């Protein structure tokens, strides 16, 4: 079976999801899986490209390219972010839609997975151009999205303001209020309380469950966090307020370390004033590379993909890694961590808090019944902790790492849904 999977991975097929196949190979090596099951999982159900004209401020018309991939909807309407990036490709959107499918299945929310976006550098657009580009894209894909079809959300370089325009354009076309068409909206337009820091909080629940499975003491552990944006900064802030010792943080310009623990509230003020954490008083400047191999108990990558790779994995000293970024660890590094006995909480579990609260937002919109923050937080914790133990049970039984256990659980839940629908 492994050979068959490898053969598929190298097949020259434009529609094939390559990440999906290598992850499936990871899950299924040594297990029984039928060709029918692989056929069903290795391609998206729907995938489309739109080309649309937008009038720029100069009065000239420019063509833009947008994508949307609805990978699998066996468990419910597809759910996935919209990314605006100049290097966006359909292949990459495919990979991300596949991961969203498994992420929603792992945390057991009733959604399939999707992803989309526009090939654009938002820094080159005025505010009005950004709005016109967004509205034009939504007009082109409006027949294929909706509360019971496919529900977009923010992703890289898209935010709640853009989600508000998406909702407004969709509602104008349908002639009725439909807030559940998109999540990550401003609170005033039906957004959910706690959505803005839900990815970080979900990750912290995973981190705390992981600590309980070791002999480490919660308040004596040391933490290093790579990335100080929405996810990294909120994670640092929430952990600091809980009394954790964060010894190192970083952003794209570099990092800082202080073995006794950083005053994160002061670091945040410094970052807001100067645009970077680097140079913060009462600490030592380090590079991002040094942060990853620093002498910490817990490492939290919360920036970019492929940060932990075969060049640095041997030198990583942390005992627990919590992947808040998407795909921060390469497969080579993953194997090294497994051999070293590092407990790695994989991205499709660790950073799922955001999509869980998106599900709560959708549900509140459909019922026109809005929850207090405490209720959102209680339900988020319950959903995340349940998912942790669902994955942990497989990990304990098989002993082949938490990533493999999470992938296996996600794939099983999607295939079970397909089977019950009569598709297998
Ligand atoms: P962001 O743009 O707000 O922040 C990214 C941070 O990474 C910034 O501090 C930036 O300075 C830093 N950075 C960039 N290049 C770096 C480098 N070379 N070394 C170190 N740091 C670098 O993005 P975000 O929303 O915080 O997302 C961070 C990661 O989390 C991404 O991988 C994203 O896909 C993932 N994620 C985010 C969410 C969410 O809800 N925002 C949900 C799931 C996953």
């Amino acid at each position: 079976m492994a050979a068959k999977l490898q053969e598929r991975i190298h097949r020259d097929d434009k529609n094939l999801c390559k990440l999906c196949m290598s992850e499936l190979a990871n899950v299924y090596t040594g297990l029984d899986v039928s060709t029918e099951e692989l056929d069903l999982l290795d391609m998206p159900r729907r995938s489309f490209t739109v080309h649309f004209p937008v009038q720029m401020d100069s009065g000239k018309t420019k063509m833009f390219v947008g994508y949307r991939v609805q990978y699998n909807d066996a468990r419910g309407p597809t759910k996935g972010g919209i990314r605006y990036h100049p290097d966006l490709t359909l292949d990459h959107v495919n990979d991300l839609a596949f991961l969203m499918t498994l992420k929603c299945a792992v945390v057991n929310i009733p959604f399939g997975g999707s992803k989309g976006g526009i090939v654009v550098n938002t820094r080159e657009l005025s505010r009005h151009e950004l709005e016109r580009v967004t509205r034009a894209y939504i007009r082109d894909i409006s027949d294929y999205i909706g509360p019971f079809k496919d529900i977009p959300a923010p992703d890289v370089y898209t935010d709640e303001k853009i989600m508000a325009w998406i909702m407004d354009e969709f509602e104008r076309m349908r002639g009725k209020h439909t807030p559940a068409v998109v999540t990550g909206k401003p609170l005033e337009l039906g957004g959910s309380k706690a959505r803005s820091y839900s990815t970080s909080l979900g990750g912290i629940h995973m981190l705390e469950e992981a600590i309980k499975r070791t002999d480490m003491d919660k308040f004596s552990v040391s933490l290093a966090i790579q990335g100080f944006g929405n996810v990294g900064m909120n994670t640092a802030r929430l952990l600091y307020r809980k009394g954790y010792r964060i010894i190192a943080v970083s952003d794209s310009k570099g990092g800082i370390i202080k073995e006794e623990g950083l005053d994160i509230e002061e670091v945040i003020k410094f970052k807001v004033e100067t645009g970077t954490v680097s140079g913060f008083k009462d600490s030592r400047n380090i590079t991002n590379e040094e942060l990853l191999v620093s002498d910490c108990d817990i490492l939290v990558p919360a920036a970019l993909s492929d940060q932990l790779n075969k060049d640095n994995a041997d030198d990583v000293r942390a005992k627990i890694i919590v992947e808040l970024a998407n795909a921060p660890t390469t497969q080579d590094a993953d194997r090294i961590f497994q051999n070293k006995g590092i407990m790695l909480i994989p991205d499709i579990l660790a950073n799922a808090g955001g999509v869980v609260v998106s599900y709560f937002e959708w549900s509140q919109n459909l019922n026109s019944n809005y929850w207090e923050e405490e209720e959102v937080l209680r339900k988020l914790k319950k959903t995340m902790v349940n998912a942790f133990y669902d994955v942990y049970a497989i990990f304990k039984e098989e002993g082949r790492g938490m990533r493999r256990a999470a992938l296996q659980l996600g794939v099983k839940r999607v295939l079970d849904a397909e089977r019950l629908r009569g598709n297998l």
Side-chain angles (χ1 to χ4, degrees):
M1 181 51 64
K4 194 160 88 185
L5 280 162
Q6 288 305 327
E7 195 183 297
R8 279 176 180 240
I9 292 164
H10 296 295
R11 201 167 71 189
D12 182 22
D13 183 337
K14 274 210 291 271
N15 291 322
L16 188 72
C17 167
K18 294 187 182 59
L19 175 86
C20 148
M21 289 314 296
S22 62
E23 294 292 32
L24 288 178
N26 184 19
V27 176
Y28 278 110
T29 301
L31 294 180
D32 202 19
V33 60
S34 72
T35 308
E36 286 168 284
E37 289 172 333
L38 285 175
D39 286 345
L40 207 137
L41 286 174
D42 77 5
M43 283 185 195
R45 286 299 172 88
R46 273 173 298 281
S47 151
F48 44 91
T49 303
V50 290
H51 298 93
F52 51 92
V54 176
Q55 197 175 47
M56 308 306 280
D57 292 346
S58 64
K60 294 228 160 65
T61 295
K62 190 172 167 187
M63 291 301 290
F64 286 86
V65 183
Y67 304 115
R68 190 73 185 163
V69 173
Q70 298 165 348
Y71 204 91
N72 185 288
D73 62 357
R75 290 175 46 84
T78 50
K79 184 87 192 78
I82 291 186
R83 180 173 290 202
Y84 288 178
H85 199 280
D87 302 329
L88 194 70
T89 62
L90 186 56
D91 266 354
H92 194 46
V93 176
N94 228 350
D95 288 350
L96 295 168
F98 167 72
L99 287 179
M100 278 304 294
T101 304
L102 297 191
K103 193 181 292 187
C104 292
V106 166
V107 289
N108 214 0
I109 56 178
F111 285 143
S114 58
K115 206 79 176 189
I118 303 176
V119 182
V120 64
N121 184 347
T122 53
R123 290 196 189 120
E124 291 170 3
L125 299 181
S126 70
R127 183 207 167 281
H128 290 296
E129 287 169 342
L130 184 65
E131 180 174 345
R132 287 197 294 275
V133 167
T134 300
R135 288 182 184 274
Y137 169 65
I138 293 306
R139 282 196 296 278
D140 270 15
I141 66 168
S142 71
D143 279 347
Y144 309 99
I145 62 172
F148 300 104
K149 284 186 184 171
D150 180 22
I151 307 134
D155 194 73
V156 175
Y157 294 125
T158 55
D159 56 15
E160 60 173 36
K161 167 183 80 221
I162 292 177
M163 300 307 114
W165 294 333
I166 291 177
M167 183 193 83
D168 184 70
E169 191 62 31
F170 188 83
E171 290 185 345
R172 282 172 193 234
M173 296 188 72
R174 297 297 148 98
K176 59 181 178 189
H177 282 287
T178 323
V181 66
V182 63
T183 61
K185 300 180 293 292
L187 272 179
E188 296 84 344
L189 292 177
S192 176
K193 291 190 172 144
R195 172 71 177 77
S196 59
Y197 60 92
S198 52
T199 303
S200 300
L201 191 55
I204 291 173
H205 292 319
M206 300 299 86
L207 183 155
E208 296 201 309
E209 292 308 319
I211 293 176
K212 285 186 202 159
R213 315 314 310 169
T214 69
D215 54 8
M216 289 193 273
D217 168 47
K218 185 169 166 173
F219 294 114
S220 60
V221 296
S222 55
L223 284 114
I225 302 174
Q226 186 198 35
F228 213 65
N230 178 317
V231 177
M233 185 164 72
N234 276 315
T235 304
R237 189 202 323 253
L238 294 168
L239 283 169
Y240 180 72
R241 289 185 182 164
K242 276 171 158 266
Y244 282 91
R245 183 164 58 100
I246 299 157
I247 62 164
V249 296
S250 68
D251 57 36
S252 58
K253 296 191 181 134
I256 49 172
I257 191 162
K258 181 181 179 189
E259 280 75 11
E260 304 78 45
L262 293 158
D263 180 337
I264 294 296
E265 306 282 5
E266 289 300 315
V267 176
I268 292 171
K269 275 192 212 149
F270 184 79
K271 164 95 182 168
V272 171
E273 279 163 21
T274 66
T276 177
V277 297
S278 187
F280 178 68
K281 64 178 169 28
D282 203 19
S283 68
R284 194 159 44 83
N285 280 349
I286 52 170
T287 63
N288 263 291
E289 200 47 47
E290 285 169 331
L291 178 138
L292 297 173
V293 299
S294 62
D295 191 9
C296 62
D297 298 309
I298 302 177
L299 178 62
V300 182
L304 308 174
S305 302
D306 300 337
Q307 294 297 292
L308 298 164
N309 48 53
K310 64 177 174 7
D311 297 332
N312 59 15
D314 276 321
D315 299 326
V316 168
R317 290 192 260 178
K319 299 174 197 77
I320 298 176
I321 297 173
V322 185
E323 291 187 334
L324 290 190
N326 277 317
T329 309
T330 65
Q331 285 195 357
D332 294 328
D334 206 46
R335 273 189 287 276
I336 295 170
F337 294 154
Q338 252 188 71
N339 292 337
K340 288 173 77 166
I342 293 176
M343 185 177 211
L344 184 146
I345 314 298
D347 48 5
I348 58 169
L349 174 63
N351 70 30
V355 75
V356 169
V357 175
S358 271
Y359 161 53
F360 296 160
E361 180 177 333
W362 174 80
S363 170
Q364 291 170 73
N365 294 155
L366 290 178
N367 293 305
S368 289
N369 175 14
Y370 289 87
W371 310 346
E372 291 304 324
E373 190 156 2
E374 293 70 40
E375 188 173 357
V376 177
L377 298 182
R378 185 173 46 78
K379 289 183 167 154
L380 172 65
K381 182 168 185 182
K382 188 161 183 281
T383 308
M384 293 301 294
V385 172
N386 284 348
F388 180 91
Y389 284 101
D390 287 348
V391 173
Y392 192 73
I394 299 174
F395 163 65
K396 280 314 263 184
E397 202 175 305
E398 308 212 332
R400 289 195 268 194
M402 287 285 280
R403 186 189 311 282
R404 188 178 146 122
L407 289 166
Q408 203 170 315
L409 177 65
V411 166
K412 179 185 179 306
R413 284 184 172 156
V414 173
L415 290 178
D416 283 350
E418 293 285 12
R419 212 166 280 120
L420 288 165
R421 284 173 178 275
N423 293 331
L424 280 171

